[in-house]
């Protein structure tokens, strides 16, 4: 299986992971420099999950994302310039500055939205899956979520509904072992989230989430199953969050050593090593990839910085699609 | 226009039937819809007429409402039946944090054409978990539209419009009005959201109301008429958008106002209306706006208790008398 | 195990089931005669579950009940007179007429309340279990629920929390195969609710819910486990609802034959046969039991009928315990 | 009384420490409390001082709130931390249908001594899911008490009272006030629920407010003073029970009233207060009551947008000028 991956696909996975890493490393810097308002949650170290999964999706497939969603969104094909502009709160951002880091969406590439509410994407994913089924398309939906999210009620309702209706959904758990300050081993009544799948008569698979090839392979099976009308799959990818829960997190709940140890399992270095062994990643290619990415990210930052802030009154736009927009503006509000 | 009499149940089913025939993206989803055509028969005939488009669910209101949203975001027009308005409590995140905000949070990228429908109201000894009227929560939630009509004509027209509307519409119908009959034209028609309807013209006082209280208000107005008082009854039908022009017109004409709903007075829709009337039209008032609504307790089970808690025609009458008394 | 039950205990089980049956059969008549307002959900045919479970509980153990709760409440030791008065909406009822059939509670015997919201009892049961643990008592909590309830989100959150904290809870599923008009086989992604237990690392047991001895035995093990601080158990009892979902239900979702067939598994007749075989239920004893029960139920009806309705103004009482009671009355409400 | 300056964070932690020392049935439960002493440090020191009585949970707000209720029904006094007020949407059934109604539904059999605490409010570019002020929903829900103080003195006294209260208290604190300092006596004291506090005496106009808007109102009042206008500022502190006497006194004294909160104006607490003032004290008003609050949109992320949506001192000032303008 892994062997059957084409060379350019493998390099593509590498490039995707590097783009996510570069984007978020830049965000980290910009946030520290007070250039990004609000709160930022980074997925550095977890890039293999989004990269592996998105590599088997089509442009019109859907994803629902989380508060830690830059990677999901980038991997699904969103434009880093409009993402960065959104993080800056600029009018050229995906949400015209109304959303920020926790609320990025790009409906044109199937991103149904990040979400500020943990597990908020589950019911939406079920609805999107039901919609695919009712419209008779072969689209699939990926519902990203964390280990912490797995204990919220909507997860249960969504998995049950997806199963009884055989909806084309991949429930993708990024198990990074913590939910904010809380270790999964404390909060969760089962050692592996995937062990809950039998309760919904769906396949439950746990993979090494730092091995992008393993993630991709498992996702491929799940997506094939979904497209074939056989229903949802629960895929759990074991990984680790390198940064704090949010930028600025004092992280008293874990040791530096634990973090350093986890960093040794860097999914990017790991794939790089594999590629080099297979002679797929020459020094020149690698330099070119990094250079292109740096240019792209710097371009995104430039775009964001040069874009204007929205005018205050724009806060009253985009509430309603229908003709009440006027009424709402004219009203007391 | 040729007129027939339909019950609210029939008017609602007819509206859905028409919209489902016109638009294949409309579907109905909720608990216990298929076997009995909904708990009030409001979907009777539809499961057979539109196979696969009336969908029974597990008991999972959170996910039902959220699934409606997910479907709305991806090309469908869901009509979500929440079974009882009291159970919106289990789907508040999906309604108030997700459906209401998604278009705005995402900068207007997407439309959210969904209806969240639920029967509300008391009067059947259904007690604290099956009797509430919670519309005020949703009026206070930017991004939602809120509708609560009473008569079959309005129900049919507003169900059709709500389905065609591109924003999330929370649609309440009082559970005691399903059997209520009224004229409904055979011809197709729509009623815009945000348009009140003057159900009775008068000059001495205005009763501003909606949902089942319309019936109580009409009864009270008739009683007042027999006493020589000419009350006008304004049926809001939509609570958001709110037809402020119609309200202002009634206030400026009658100078005396009662606002009546079945929900708890404290913090109810009547507070918003009264506050706004005094804010914008204080000089027009010959007496304070008087609010009618339920007392601030949950709904008790026992009939004498429940009757005491919820307002009826007598409550509107009492409020009207109070409003008429005052001479500036 | 079954053999180790004492004779009087077995007869006690029989008596409990017959009391529930008699109470509800009477309620059915009274409702049909328009003497009971509101809505009524009967558990006729399901008596073995409440009887079997309550037989292993102590008076200070807790239960949370459901909309179909008369049996749970009676079996836990509530007074049928005050129950009946409540169903009539009388001032002498458990809730002074404020609750009705769906909202009966008797805190003096550990009944934390029936519930009008399906699965509404789960979080409350978790809190009661946590309270037992914090107070260091050996009390246990039984959380009754239906097959339909099993698909609601709070079930998931509650089972996870109960498990991680090893709370003394018996999650008791009365699987009567329908939730209102909806068959469990349609709504539920797993053939047996108990199969969801491994997802919470708790024992999951399915028993014949028409066999009161089997229910009792399984409950005994679960309760022993709970008292020993070993955590919760999920017990699923397979049974059948003989009556409509509510009194008046047209029941278009199932056939008369199906109902008749199910009635052949009457839990009361079944125990009676066992008792007779063991020579524990003479004709005289049986007649005495039935006579006593009839007298008790008739006494309850008389009590209810003779009791006064509450005065309308009593609707304003019992809202707050603190001194705001006055404020609330004096207020605009 | 000897006075020290404490931040709201410190005042809150001190109140909890005192109550937990006095009463072993008090415990704290919620997400992410132990490692960092709560997201604002509001529980700092407590996990160590009271082992096992500050309890971290999974992300399960529905069950956290409901578990608080279950514990309250069985002899404990839970203090439930809901993390962010926005997430009450996930626990509305437990709060509004269960905790609020249980005592009443069961005929007064039981007490429900629990606090449901959450930080609310905007101003940190936290966007639509981490910025709301939702107190109006709970004031509209019979059975709940609702508290929302601003200054450390009030926070400490009200946290202690809320814990000792035998009814469910929903307790909001604005997330921008945690670092705000103010005098707090060393000696123990309590502040009754339902008692407003006149934070500034004046005769020309009354600003009725609570939570962070108190700070904005004080700033506006100072500005008005420099213009020769003497504004009085009434801090409600509790929203239910509502100190109607204090409101009536301010209205009757000043005849000009602004009601200010950060929540959305439409259907907010200001609607209730304005409606009731005109209902009971219309003759006292020299001008309409003017409401200040957020515009009716979700909270946008970008600073210029957010500043435009939520009210500040300038909004109070503007409303005050409007109220002062009118001459009857
Ligand atoms: C319903 C809800 N509860 C709590 C929070 C606060 N919160 C934001 S992220 C988070 C932790 C999420 O953990 P996990 O699902 O494992 O995702 P991760 O952050 O590890 O990617 C919490 C508690 C929230 N946003 N929504
Ligand atoms: C949250 C919620 N959703 C829906 C209902 C309406 N309802 C009442 S009982 C019921 C069916 C419950 O089925 P089950 O849990 O199997 O219990 P049973 O009635 O079979 O005893 C439904 C849908 C409700 N009361 N609460
Ligand atoms: Mg995590
Ligand atoms: Mg059932």
């Amino acid at each position: 299986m892994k062997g059957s991956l084409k060379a350019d696909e493998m390099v593509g996975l590498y490039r995707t992971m590097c783009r996510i890493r570069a984007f978020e490393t830049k965000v980290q810097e910009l946030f520290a420099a007070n250039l990004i308002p609000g709160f930022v949650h980074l997925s550095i170290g977890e890039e293999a999950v989004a990269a592996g999964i998105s590599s088997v999706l089509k442009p019109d497939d859907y994803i629902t994302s989380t508060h830690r969603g830059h990677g999901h969104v980038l991997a699904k094909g969103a434009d880093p310039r409009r993402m960065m502009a959104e993080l800056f709160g600029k009018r050229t951002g995906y949400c015209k500055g109304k959303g920020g880091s926790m609320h990025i969406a790009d409906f044109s590439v199937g991103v149904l939205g990040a979400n500020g509410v943990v597990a908020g994407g589950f019911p939406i994913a079920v609805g999107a899956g039901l919609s695919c089924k009712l419209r008779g398309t072969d689209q699939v939906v990926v519902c990203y979520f964390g280990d912490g999210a797995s204990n919220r009620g909507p997860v249960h309702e969504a998995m049950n509904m997806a199963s009884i209706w055989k909806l084309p959904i991949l429930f993708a758990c990024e198990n990074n072992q913590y939910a904010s300050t809380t270790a999964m081993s404390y909060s969760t009544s089962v050692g592996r989230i995937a062990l809950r799948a039998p309760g919904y008569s769906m396949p439950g698979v746990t993979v090494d989430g730092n091995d992008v090839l393993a993630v991709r392979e498992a996702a491929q099976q799940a997506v094939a199953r979904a497209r074939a009308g056989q229903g949802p799959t629960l895929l759990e990818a074991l990984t680790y969050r390198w940064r704090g829960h949010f930028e600025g997190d004092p992280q008293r709940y874990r040791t530096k050593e634990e973090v350093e140890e986890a960093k040794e399992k860097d999914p990017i270095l790991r794939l790089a090593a594999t590629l080099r062994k297979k002679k797929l990643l020459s020094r020149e290619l690698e330099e070119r990839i990094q250079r292109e990415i740096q240019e792209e990210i710097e371009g995104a930052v430039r775009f964001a910085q040069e874009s204007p802030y929205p005018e205050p009154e724009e806060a009253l736009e985009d509430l309603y699609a229908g003709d009440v927009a006027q009424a709402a503006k004219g009203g007391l509000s | 226009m040729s007129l027939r009499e339909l019950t609210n149940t029939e008017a609602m089913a007819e509206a859905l039937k028409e919209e489902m025939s016109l638009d294949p993206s409309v579907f109905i989803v909720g608990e216990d819809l298929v076997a009995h055509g909904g708990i009030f028969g409001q979907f009777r005939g539809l499961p057979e007429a539109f196979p696969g488009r009336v969908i029974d669910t597990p008991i999972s209101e959170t996910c039902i409402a959220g699934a409606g949203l997910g479907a709305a975001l991806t090309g469908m027009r869901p009509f979500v039946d929440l079974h009882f308005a009291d159970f919106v409590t289990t789907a508040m995140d999906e309604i108030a944090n997700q459906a209401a905000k998604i278009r705005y949070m995402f900068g207007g990228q997407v439309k959210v054409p969904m209806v969240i429908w639920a029967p509300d109201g008391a009067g059947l000894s259904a007690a604290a978990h099956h009797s509430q009227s919670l519309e005020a929560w949703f009026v206070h939630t930017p991004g939602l539209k809120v509708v609560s009509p009473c008569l079959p004509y309005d129900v049919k027209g507003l169900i059709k419009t709500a389905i065609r509307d591109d924003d999330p519409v929370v649609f309440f119908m009082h559970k005691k009005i399903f059997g209520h009959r009224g004229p409904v034209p055979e011809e197709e028609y729509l009623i815009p959201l945000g348009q009140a309807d003057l159900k009775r013209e008068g000059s001495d006082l205005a009763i501003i109301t909606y949902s089942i209280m319309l019936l109580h208000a009409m009864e009270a107005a008739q009683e007042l008429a027999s006493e020589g008082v000419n009350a006008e009854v304004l049926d809001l039908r939509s609570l958001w958008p709110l037809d402020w022009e119609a309200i202002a017109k009634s206030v400026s004409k009658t100078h005396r106002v009662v606002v009546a709903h079945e929900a708890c007075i404290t913090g109810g829709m009547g507070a918003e209306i009264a506050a706004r009337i005094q804010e914008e039209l204080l000089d027009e008032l010959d007496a304070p706006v008087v609010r009618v609504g339920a007392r601030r307790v949950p709904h008790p089970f026992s009939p004498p208790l429940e009757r005491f808690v919820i307002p009826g025609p007598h409550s509107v009458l009492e409020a009207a008398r109070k409003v008429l008394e005052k001479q500036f």
Side-chain angles (χ1 to χ4, degrees), chain A, chain B:
Chain A
M1 287 276 181
K2 290 185 192 186
S4 74
L5 252 193
K6 293 202 204 90
D8 60 340
E9 287 172 325
M10 287 184 73
V11 176
L13 288 170
Y14 181 73
R15 183 189 288 270
T16 304
M17 289 197 290
C18 291
R19 279 178 84 224
I20 299 173
R21 175 78 51 96
F23 183 89
E24 291 209 304
T25 304
K26 180 54 79 180
V27 169
Q28 177 189 326
E29 280 170 43
L30 295 165
F31 186 85
N34 271 322
L35 287 164
I36 292 179
F39 300 89
V40 157
H41 306 82
L42 300 179
S43 68
I44 294 175
E46 309 178 28
E47 298 87 350
V49 187
I53 290 173
S54 270
S55 74
V56 300
L57 299 181
K58 299 200 232 169
D60 68 346
D61 288 333
Y62 299 115
I63 69 165
T64 60
S65 175
T66 70
H67 58 286
R68 200 178 302 288
H70 305 149
H72 312 146
V73 174
L74 266 176
K76 188 66 178 63
D79 176 354
R81 300 188 325 149
R82 296 190 62 199
M83 284 177 67
M84 196 61 91
E86 187 59 35
L87 296 187
F88 273 72
K90 297 300 184 75
R91 182 198 270 153
T92 54
Y94 266 116
C95 313
K96 307 182 188 164
K98 294 198 167 84
S101 166
M102 264 191 286
H103 303 285
I104 293 183
D106 180 354
F107 286 80
S108 72
V109 295
V111 176
L112 304 183
N115 211 308
V117 177
V118 165
F122 277 85
I124 297 172
V126 167
L130 179 60
S131 164
C132 299
K133 194 170 166 178
L134 289 170
R135 287 181 289 114
T137 72
D138 76 341
Q139 292 163 288
V140 305
V141 186
V142 176
C143 172
Y144 286 105
F145 66 108
D147 47 293
S150 71
N151 295 316
R152 280 207 60 223
V155 176
H156 178 60
E157 298 192 359
M159 294 209 178
N160 182 60
M161 263 163 123
S163 173
I164 63 166
W165 292 335
K166 290 201 185 306
L167 300 183
I169 303 182
L170 165 53
F171 293 107
C173 181
E174 287 177 310
N175 182 347
N176 61 12
Q177 300 171 51
Y178 288 92
S180 187
T181 71
T182 305
M184 172 182 157
S185 57
Y186 169 80
S187 66
T188 308
S189 56
V190 72
R192 292 271 169 270
I193 309 289
L195 291 175
R196 288 188 174 152
Y200 309 100
S201 306
M202 70 173 83
V205 187
T206 304
V207 298
D208 180 344
N210 298 322
D211 179 353
V212 68
L213 301 176
V215 172
R216 182 188 151 100
E217 190 192 339
Q220 199 155 38
Q221 285 182 22
V223 165
R225 202 179 119 81
R227 284 203 215 284
Q230 293 170 330
T233 298
L234 170 49
L235 170 58
E236 176 184 26
L238 300 177
T239 180
Y240 197 85
R241 152 164 75 64
W242 289 16
R243 304 286 307 163
H245 169 56
F246 54 91
E247 286 305 288
D249 179 359
Q251 301 184 57
R252 280 186 215 114
Y253 48 86
R254 62 183 187 183
T255 63
K256 285 222 171 62
E257 292 70 46
E258 182 184 305
V259 179
E260 289 313 316
E261 208 172 295
K263 284 187 179 174
E264 282 165 24
K265 299 180 189 147
D266 186 341
I268 296 183
L269 294 185
R270 179 159 170 179
L271 180 62
T274 307
L275 291 175
R276 283 194 205 100
K277 218 181 297 166
K278 290 185 190 279
K279 308 253 182 273
L280 294 173
L281 190 68
S282 64
R283 178 157 301 204
E284 299 76 58
L285 177 56
E286 171 144 28
E287 279 173 9
R288 203 181 71 219
I289 290 175
Q290 295 301 346
R291 194 174 349 102
E292 286 169 1
I293 290 175
Q294 281 315 317
E295 276 168 22
E296 186 185 24
I297 301 302
E298 276 158 29
V301 175
R302 224 176 307 117
F303 176 77
Q305 282 180 315
E306 289 167 4
S307 291
Y309 281 104
E311 291 301 317
E313 296 73 20
E314 291 173 30
L316 300 184
E317 296 171 4
D318 299 319
L319 183 58
Y320 293 107
D323 52 12
V324 189
Q326 279 323 103
K329 272 202 253 180
L332 240 195
S333 54
Chain B
M1 282 204 293
S2 66
L3 288 185
R4 316 152 288 167
E5 295 251 313
L6 293 185
T7 62
N8 268 316
T9 308
E10 290 160 351
M12 175 168 171
E14 194 171 274
L16 282 156
K17 189 165 184 190
E18 289 177 12
E19 293 306 302
M20 292 178 82
S21 303
L22 283 168
D23 184 345
S25 68
V26 179
F27 70 101
I28 308 176
V29 63
E31 294 158 18
D32 300 309
L33 309 183
V34 174
H36 297 160
I39 40 175
F40 299 94
Q42 69 272 31
F43 306 120
R44 199 155 293 153
L46 303 179
E48 300 74 29
F50 305 102
R53 290 171 62 192
V54 181
I55 303 175
D56 274 348
T57 66
I59 307 178
S60 304
E61 287 83 0
T62 311
C63 199
I64 296 166
L69 173 56
L73 295 175
T74 55
M76 302 298 290
R77 291 192 172 269
F79 186 95
V80 174
D81 176 328
L82 270 190
H83 219 64
F84 280 89
D86 309 73
F87 310 150
V88 293
T89 53
T90 69
M92 283 304 280
D93 196 64
E94 287 57 39
I95 299 171
N97 273 343
Q98 310 292 342
K101 296 181 171 50
I102 265 188
R103 175 176 171 79
Y104 185 84
M105 288 191 300
F106 298 155
Q109 280 184 61
V110 74
K111 294 176 179 178
V112 184
M114 74 188 288
V115 181
I116 298 157
W117 180 91
D120 68 357
L124 297 172
S125 280
H129 286 164
H130 292 77
S131 301
Q132 293 167 87
S133 294
L134 296 169
E135 64 277 5
W137 288 357
F138 303 98
V139 171
H140 188 51
T141 305
L144 299 175
K145 297 176 178 176
V146 185
V147 180
S148 195
C150 179
L151 301 186
Y153 177 84
D154 298 319
V155 164
K156 183 174 174 193
L158 283 163
I159 291 260
K160 285 172 67 85
T161 309
I163 290 171
R164 295 188 194 186
D165 195 272
D166 281 332
D167 295 305
V169 179
V170 181
F171 200 118
F172 292 116
M173 278 171 65
H174 196 287
K175 54 176 90 63
K176 283 189 78 171
I177 64 169
F178 283 88
H180 189 83
R181 294 192 159 274
V184 178
E186 305 261 8
E187 294 74 18
E188 190 180 27
Y189 65 97
L190 296 169
I191 298 176
L193 303 188
Q195 199 175 86
D197 186 48
L198 199 59
K199 287 284 173 357
R200 189 183 208 282
E201 275 212 56
S203 49
D204 297 333
L205 117 131
I207 306 170
I208 300 173
T209 190
Y210 55 93
S211 190
I212 197 173
M213 286 304 291
L214 171 66
L215 302 180
H216 299 334
M218 293 300 276
E219 205 178 313
Q222 208 160 351
E223 172 73 23
L224 288 167
S226 76
E227 300 170 14
V229 174
N230 199 358
E232 120 164 356
V233 178
L234 184 67
D235 179 6
L236 294 174
R237 303 192 295 195
S238 298
L239 303 180
W240 200 268
L242 183 64
D243 190 345
W244 176 246
E245 271 172 47
I247 294 174
K249 208 167 138 192
S250 271
V251 173
S252 308
K253 179 170 152 199
T254 63
H255 314 296
R256 296 176 189 271
V257 185
V258 169
V259 187
H261 51 58
E262 198 190 273
C264 167
I265 294 179
T266 311
M269 188 66 197
E272 173 60 28
I273 295 171
R276 190 156 167 195
I277 290 175
Q278 68 81 37
E279 211 159 348
E280 304 194 20
L281 300 167
L282 189 61
D283 293 338
E284 295 286 355
L285 289 180
D286 284 349
V289 179
V290 172
R291 294 181 284 165
V292 171
R295 296 170 195 268
R296 197 179 179 278
V297 289
H299 293 87
F301 161 72
S302 187
L305 299 177
E306 188 183 34
R307 275 195 300 271
F308 182 74
V309 166
I310 61 175
H314 62 287
S315 325
V316 180
L317 215 49
E318 205 175 292
R321 298 222 164 93
K322 200 167 154 195
V323 157
L324 290 165
E325 218 167 65
K326 173 99 177 187
Q327 300 295 350
F328 258 99

